Amino acid sequence: MRWNVLRSSPKTTIERAIGAIALVLAALGPLVFNQYWAHQILIETFLFGIAAASLIFLSAYGGMVSLAQTALFGIAGVILGNLATRGGPGGTSKGLHLGWDPTVALVVAIAMTTAIGLMFGAIAARSIGIYFLMITLTYSVITTYFLGQVTLVSGFSGIGGINRYTPSWIGDLTGHPNRLYYVSLVAAVFTYVLIRYVVRTPFGITLQGVRDEPVRMSSLGYNVPLHRTLAFGFAAFLASLSGVLYVWWSGQIAPGNVDLPETISLLVIAVIGGLARIEGAWLGAFAFIIIQNYVRGFTFPFLGFGGTLFGGSFNTVIGIIFLLIVLISPDGLMGIWDRALAARSRVGRAGPSAEAPARTGG
Amino acid sequence: MTEAPLETRSTEPTLRVWGVGRRFGGLHAVNDVDLEIVAGERRAILGPNGAGKTTLFNVIAGDLPVSSGRIELFGHDVTAAPARKRARLGLARSYQQSRLFLNLTVEDSLYLAALGVRRGHLRPVTTRRDREMRERAREAARRVAIDDKLGEMVGSLSHGEHRQVAVAMALASKPRMLMLDEPASGLSPGERQLLTDLLLALDREITLILIEHDMDVALRVAERVTMMHEGRVIVEGTPDEIRANEYVHELYLGAPQRDE
């Protein structure tokens, strides 16, 4: 093959081509896809992809699997709802209704969520593996019950009508859902580019060292808990973007958006996409949302269950798909993709591959 | 190598260890050890398996806290200091099980080693200083002759290459004191020769402490040898004195399973 001189370049070329096609399709989105696809499936894919990317970033580059990303996503939404909305006639929505300028509210919501993430991170940073997982699960549970029980800021019914209070530079989203489509797309591309950039900076390379060998890192002079804490804060920042987009999209946020099933859903998205590569975040979100949208009404033949109870047959179907993907490829759909490409290039070269095994984790 | 005359070198201790002990439950892995190492010295620590050599390294480097005693490094009391503070004073070490960054490239690993003792770990932007660190990383790779593998993932390298990377990582931070834990283990005779040459050519400013099972490497490089057994220092002397010591022979050199 002509590419042989530049190692690993066929893969990069194919991926760049696919990425470019996806980006062009996404940019033309509302023209190419029907309304349901553009305004439901794709916006959801973009915004849940950002939340999943924050989880995958921590996992792939920091070696930390966090269950707190959904909680942070919700915290950002709730803060924005409290700051931006005004209590109006007929408004049954809970919350403080401070009626701040939406731009200020947006900045404060993101900043506060990042700060809470840093605090969460500082506590969890000294734990690893299952202990880290449990601590972050605790954050998720605490957040759900805090929002449910503190009726001043949320209550179980949550805050509604948030999408009516958007910054003037974005404009009305309810009347012009294409605006939200592009805002979400830009945020998703921004998140992807930012992560790809950050992992090559001193901070990012250091984080990968911490992932591989924390003990070695301290004896090289690094403050390992501080690095983990800051990485967690960065991931909280990304999760907050996703939370803000979510409340602009759905208009409301309630404890039910951050509870255990939702926390697990985000983990499922990240695992289906693949915990080792950032691209997996949007791939996983897309697969998840497609399945969610199209199998809801599906009834299992002979077994007869399905229908609309307990989310319809969706949970069963997604569970089976999740199981299959994890069994076939621990690195999710991106892992299957990597292996397919590796196999293809082996066949292409028709000889023993001199290349290292497909690397995972950055 | 001929011994450098001691008078020309500073005799100020780089490392002082007083009555250091480390217990694991009922086991005294290191027991009441005194050690004094002057600047620029080449010291080998020998002893059979389980003598406490690596544990002594771990407490000196700060990877393990001491159970008793005091440690002074470059004139600072570091008994309670974390490993990263000791690294910043100029101490670099390697590990017996190499503890390498298997998912990073050789260059990134050496870059991390060079950056660790500097400021700016948390910078989310790449600057000119990083180019300097990368140059330093490549220089360390050249010193151990691994510069042809700079772009390779560490996880894809051979055992011998892992040992080279481990030594290069210890060098990349430009340390004042270098502690190597069995750098020659698992190396081919040719690789051992390269390693010995590298250690002999090491800048005299750098103090070197070496744990080594390979007596050829250890006794050629070291000027003084500390012999440990069951957590204690039993003999200290020049390589010739160690070779001549009957107790050492009985304990180690004459043992049927000479570890070479």
Side-chain angles (χ1 to χ4, degrees):
Chain A
M1 240 192 291
R2 193 163 63 80
W3 292 311
N4 269 355
V5 271
L6 293 169
R7 233 168 38 79
S8 91
S9 125
K11 181 181 170 181
T12 322
T13 313
I14 295 173
E15 289 191 347
R16 287 218 176 114
I18 293 174
I21 293 168
L23 202 60
V24 169
L25 272 180
L28 299 172
L31 301 173
V32 181
F33 303 103
N34 66 27
Q35 266 203 12
Y36 178 68
W37 264 70
H39 299 152
Q40 296 289 325
I41 290 178
L42 291 180
I43 291 181
E44 261 193 294
T45 298
F46 297 152
L47 75 91
F48 282 112
I50 296 173
S54 81
L55 197 159
I56 294 176
F57 164 76
L58 282 178
S59 158
Y61 297 98
M64 301 176 265
V65 177
S66 162
L67 292 177
Q69 301 318 108
T70 305
L72 291 161
F73 153 101
I75 287 170
V78 167
I79 294 174
L80 184 66
N82 275 285
L83 298 182
T85 58
R86 292 192 190 90
T92 53
S93 160
K94 297 249 176 19
L96 295 170
H97 300 305
L98 294 178
W100 287 14
D101 175 75
T103 304
V104 177
L106 172 69
V107 172
V108 172
I110 291 172
M112 277 180 74
T113 308
T114 307
I116 290 169
L118 285 170
M119 207 177 68
F120 280 3
I123 297 168
R126 282 179 170 77
S127 306
I128 51 165
I130 187 79
Y131 303 101
F132 182 87
L133 200 73
M134 291 307 289
I135 290 175
T136 56
L137 177 64
T138 309
Y139 293 150
S140 155
V141 174
I142 289 173
T143 304
T144 308
Y145 285 100
F146 178 88
L147 296 182
Q149 289 167 358
V150 182
T151 50
L152 188 67
V153 297
S154 163
F156 278 105
S157 57
I159 307 172
I162 308 170
N163 50 354
R164 283 187 280 129
Y165 304 90
T166 47
S168 51
W169 46 272
I170 290 176
D172 175 24
L173 292 179
T174 46
H176 302 91
N178 278 350
R179 284 187 189 159
L180 184 60
Y181 178 90
Y182 284 108
V183 169
S184 308
L185 175 61
V186 167
V189 172
F190 168 75
T191 300
Y192 177 72
V193 171
L194 184 66
I195 292 176
R196 290 293 299 261
Y197 174 76
V198 162
V199 298
R200 289 311 303 162
T201 63
F203 174 73
I205 299 172
T206 304
L207 185 64
Q208 294 170 64
V210 168
R211 171 200 64 200
D212 281 5
E213 270 295 343
V215 174
R216 189 76 187 95
M217 286 301 277
S218 357
S219 72
L220 286 176
Y222 293 94
N223 186 337
V224 170
L226 179 65
H227 259 89
R228 287 210 176 110
T229 302
L230 292 176
F232 204 87
F234 176 66
F237 163 73
L238 298 177
S240 77
L241 299 183
S242 165
V244 164
L245 292 170
Y246 179 79
V247 295
W248 282 347
W249 176 69
S250 81
Q252 54 198 355
I253 185 101
N257 295 119
V258 300
D259 62 6
L260 206 53
E262 293 298 324
T263 298
I264 291 169
S265 290
L266 189 65
L267 187 66
V268 168
I269 288 176
V271 172
I272 287 180
L275 284 174
R277 289 188 60 180
I278 293 298
E279 293 85 353
W282 288 277
L283 192 61
F286 184 64
F288 185 93
I289 287 155
I290 289 282
I291 296 164
Q292 192 179 40
N293 275 276
Y294 287 99
V295 305
R296 206 175 274 284
F298 175 73
T299 305
F300 284 89
F302 309 117
L303 297 175
F305 77 100
T308 51
L309 214 58
F310 302 118
S313 49
F314 168 66
N315 284 329
T316 314
V317 173
I318 196 79
I320 293 168
I321 290 170
F322 178 83
L323 207 62
L324 281 176
I325 287 177
V326 171
L327 286 175
I328 296 168
S329 163
D331 284 332
L333 293 174
M334 287 311 292
I336 294 175
W337 166 253
D338 281 339
R339 275 192 281 166
L341 274 192
R344 184 182 167 279
S345 73
R346 266 200 301 279
V347 171
R349 255 178 269 160
S353 166
E355 216 167 306
R359 74 187 253 243
T360 59
Chain B
M1 188 196 78
T2 53
E3 276 208 355
L6 284 167
E7 302 80 45
T8 62
R9 296 207 308 271
S10 159
T11 49
E12 189 195 329
T14 298
L15 174 71
R16 263 192 182 139
V17 170
W18 286 281
V20 157
R22 171 68 204 189
R23 275 193 312 274
F24 296 106
L27 173 76
H28 285 266
V30 170
N31 198 350
D32 196 22
V33 165
D34 293 321
L35 203 60
E36 202 172 291
I37 293 176
V38 297
E41 189 177 333
R42 273 87 180 96
R43 173 77 61 109
I45 297 177
L46 301 183
N49 284 328
K53 307 178 298 283
T54 295
T55 306
L56 180 64
F57 257 36
N58 285 338
V59 295
I60 292 172
D63 290 341
L64 282 176
V66 295
S67 303
S68 56
R70 208 160 88 84
I71 298 170
E72 213 176 73
L73 190 61
F74 309 115
H76 301 269
D77 184 347
V78 296
T79 314
R84 65 169 193 276
K85 295 255 165 75
R86 304 185 201 198
R88 289 183 166 221
L89 286 174
L91 181 148
R93 71 164 296 186
S94 76
Y95 289 81
Q96 208 175 338
Q97 275 98 24
S98 297
R99 283 193 182 278
L100 300 174
F101 308 120
L102 298 179
N103 297 302
L104 292 183
T105 61
V106 172
E107 184 177 322
D108 279 351
S109 301
L110 298 176
Y111 161 80
L112 283 180
L115 180 68
V117 292
R118 296 304 192 84
R119 289 183 177 280
H121 299 170
L122 305 172
R123 271 174 300 135
V125 285
T126 307
T127 65
R128 202 181 314 130
R129 254 195 297 167
D130 296 302
R131 230 176 295 154
E132 205 179 292
M133 295 295 129
R134 289 201 177 270
E135 186 42 53
R136 197 176 279 193
R138 287 190 283 269
E139 186 194 316
R142 280 193 289 274
R143 303 235 354 229
V144 303
I146 190 97
D147 48 329
D148 55 329
K149 297 278 163 65
L150 277 167
E152 306 265 328
M153 289 288 154
V154 174
S156 71
L157 302 182
S158 71
H159 175 81
E161 289 164 339
H162 279 174
R163 307 306 297 184
Q164 283 169 283
V165 173
V167 173
M169 279 176 71
L171 288 173
S173 63
K174 301 222 163 161
R176 288 199 277 165
M177 189 167 104
L178 189 57
M179 297 168 70
L180 301 178
D181 195 346
E182 295 196 23
S185 82
L187 294 189
S188 68
E191 289 168 332
R192 276 168 203 231
Q193 187 56 49
L194 281 176
L195 177 75
T196 311
D197 291 345
L198 168 78
L199 295 179
L200 288 173
L202 209 59
D203 191 342
R204 290 307 305 195
E205 303 276 294
I206 301 175
T207 310
L208 176 68
I209 311 177
L210 196 66
I211 294 179
E212 194 45 73
H213 270 301
D214 185 320
M215 297 300 274
D216 291 338
V217 176
L219 296 182
R220 275 183 65 199
V221 172
E223 297 157 349
R224 284 189 79 74
V225 176
T226 299
M227 195 73 200
M228 286 182 77
H229 183 51
E230 290 177 347
R232 291 176 181 278
V233 172
I234 49 167
V235 193
E236 204 178 290
T238 63
D240 288 337
E241 285 166 3
I242 293 294
R243 279 194 198 96
N245 188 303
E246 263 180 43
Y247 186 36
V248 171
H249 257 271
E250 200 178 305
L251 185 73
Y252 192 59
L253 300 177
Q257 283 186 321
R258 194 175 150 186
D259 198 343
E260 263 185 84

